Amino acid sequence: MFDFDMLGLAPALNDALKDAKFTQPTPIQNQAIPLALNGHDILGLAQTGTGKTLAFGLPLIDHLLAQPGKPAPKMAKSLILAPTRELVNQIADSLRNLTKNTRLRVATVVGGQSINKQIMFLSRGTDILVATPGRLIDLMDRRAVDLSSVKHLVLDEADQMLDMGFIHALRRIAPELGTPRQTMLFSATMPKQMEELSRAYLTNPQRVQVSPPGKAADKVTQSIHFVEKPAKPSKLREILSADMDALTLVFSRTKHGAEKLMKGLVADGFNAASIHGNKSQGQRDRAIKAFRAGEINVLVATDVAARGIDIPGVAYVINYDLPEVPDNYVHRIGRTARAGREGEAIAFCSAEEVDLLRQIQKLMKTEIPVASGVMPEAIAPKKPARRQNNNRRGPKPQHSGAPKPGGQKRRRPRRAKAA
């Protein structure tokens, strides 16, 4: 283990790290940064909350500071792709803190915001472009951005980008990038498709892994309450009332469910807000900002926020509904116990969710301690009912080929032979 000041980083970076009170790197930073500084492609595996942003951000900024000159109009020197708007903003905020006393410019490109403002900002060029794939392609189609000078590519939370179907967007973006380039890919899980992705876009990558995929952060205390669906609202209020001032992130499976749950909590006197896909980007940004500042202490979210909230003060994560994708459970509870702090993850499980719980525990190779209730019998999925034969006239008679009474078979007229 080394200190950041032992890496030989640019003085401006060392000063920024000291201002942020970063002294010792996390395990993923400890492994990845020296390799990235030496120019290697990186395949990094680590769960959320382990410091991946600095793992790729520090070597990226150090390389850019060593390059002379400003970016040309519409040009970007480096590109970071992330699957959600929240994660893009989180990454950009972290990088701006590191580059505030340098000449480097950081730009963000996400959907849900004015594309004309983004075009105007990009017209001056940028050193670091942080983007969601969809909006970036929109800007490429408008010829508002030129990626031919990009010599550093970062794919953050690459497994979620695959889950969200961004692989097609990546295939569209990659050929437009400059070569040769350094590519760093970071992911919390390593499905088979991720192996194929790494072979396609990385050159002789150095693999760094700090924990097995599917393993929760060590400082998260987990528990589960077996509670039927109608009793979940009262159980949630009971838990929230026990620590009214704590920052608590509550996960709901659906957008409608998240909004309904939030409105019910507000009606009962809780200081709550919600973020989900039906909210505008401005509404989501304001809710996260208020949550970060402690102006609200309960944030109800769908999985859109599972990897896009980096708030060290989150004390509790409550899985009001278990996720249908087991990996998302790990990402959700990774929103607490960040930056070396401790946190608590609480889950509710009804009879309809028992199979989801079993999949989660199989992924993590551990059983979640039971806080209350008894595991109910799993409810088997309903089988589609067979169609009944409502033909009361009995089976249709077989057709004999004879003409129907009163009619004759129609014959095609013969074509006249050519003269």
Side-chain angles (χ1 to χ4, degrees), residues 68-306:
K70 295 181 180 180
K74 297 186 180 182
M75 292 283 195
K77 289 188 175 183
S78 61
L79 174 64
I80 302 171
L81 292 176
T84 66
R85 292 175 277 186
E86 283 74 22
L87 187 53
V88 165
N89 292 332
Q90 172 195 311
I91 293 169
D93 288 343
S94 297
L95 298 183
R96 288 187 180 114
N97 287 334
L98 295 172
T99 59
K100 59 185 177 183
N101 294 322
T102 73
R103 57 178 168 76
L104 300 184
R105 296 161 56 86
V106 180
T108 58
V109 164
V110 298
Q113 294 182 352
S114 170
I115 195 169
N116 291 327
K117 288 183 179 179
Q118 293 171 356
I119 291 172
M120 186 181 304
F121 193 95
L122 289 173
S123 67
R124 294 174 286 172
T126 187
D127 296 279
I128 303 173
L129 178 58
V130 194
T132 52
R135 175 52 64 91
L136 180 59
I137 287 178
D138 289 343
L139 290 162
M140 290 167 59
D141 289 340
R142 296 182 184 218
R143 298 185 178 181
V145 61
D146 187 335
L147 302 177
S148 61
S149 294
V150 170
K151 294 300 179 68
H152 301 275
L153 171 66
V154 178
L155 305 176
D156 195 19
E157 303 291 3
D159 51 346
Q160 190 181 16
M161 281 200 276
L162 289 179
D163 291 341
M164 297 173 69
F166 286 139
I167 184 63
H168 303 293
L170 183 59
R171 289 172 181 153
R172 169 80 187 281
I173 294 167
E176 303 298 321
L177 306 179
T179 56
R181 63 176 177 268
Q182 180 186 41
T183 301
M184 292 183 274
L185 183 154
F186 286 85
S187 177
T189 60
M190 196 65 182
K192 183 179 179 181
Q193 197 175 8
M194 188 64 63
E195 295 275 6
E196 299 170 357
L197 186 70
S198 65
R199 286 196 296 269
Y201 296 104
L202 277 67
T203 303
N204 299 321
Q206 298 292 312
R207 179 168 175 152
V208 295
Q209 181 172 339
V210 298
S211 62
K215 185 180 183 297
D218 293 333
K219 294 190 176 183
V220 178
T221 301
Q222 300 179 65
S223 63
I224 191 156
H225 296 264
F226 290 108
V227 54
E228 290 308 316
K229 192 173 181 179
K232 283 187 178 184
S234 60
K235 175 59 74 172
L236 176 63
R237 284 154 177 78
E238 174 190 327
I239 293 172
L240 293 176
S241 298
D243 196 352
M244 291 288 289
D245 296 327
L247 292 184
T248 303
L249 184 56
V250 182
F251 280 102
S252 172
R253 188 178 298 122
T254 66
K255 295 177 286 189
H256 173 74
E259 191 69 10
K260 181 180 178 181
L261 182 57
M262 180 274 293
K263 289 181 178 178
L265 290 172
V266 171
D268 288 343
F270 292 94
N271 196 4
S274 65
I275 57 171
H276 49 73
N278 284 347
K279 296 279 188 177
S280 69
Q281 186 61 40
Q283 290 174 317
R284 288 155 66 168
D285 290 344
R286 286 191 293 273
I288 291 176
K289 184 178 180 181
F291 187 58
R292 186 187 301 274
E295 297 170 7
I296 61 169
N297 61 332
V298 180
L299 184 63
V300 186
T302 56
D303 281 316
V304 70

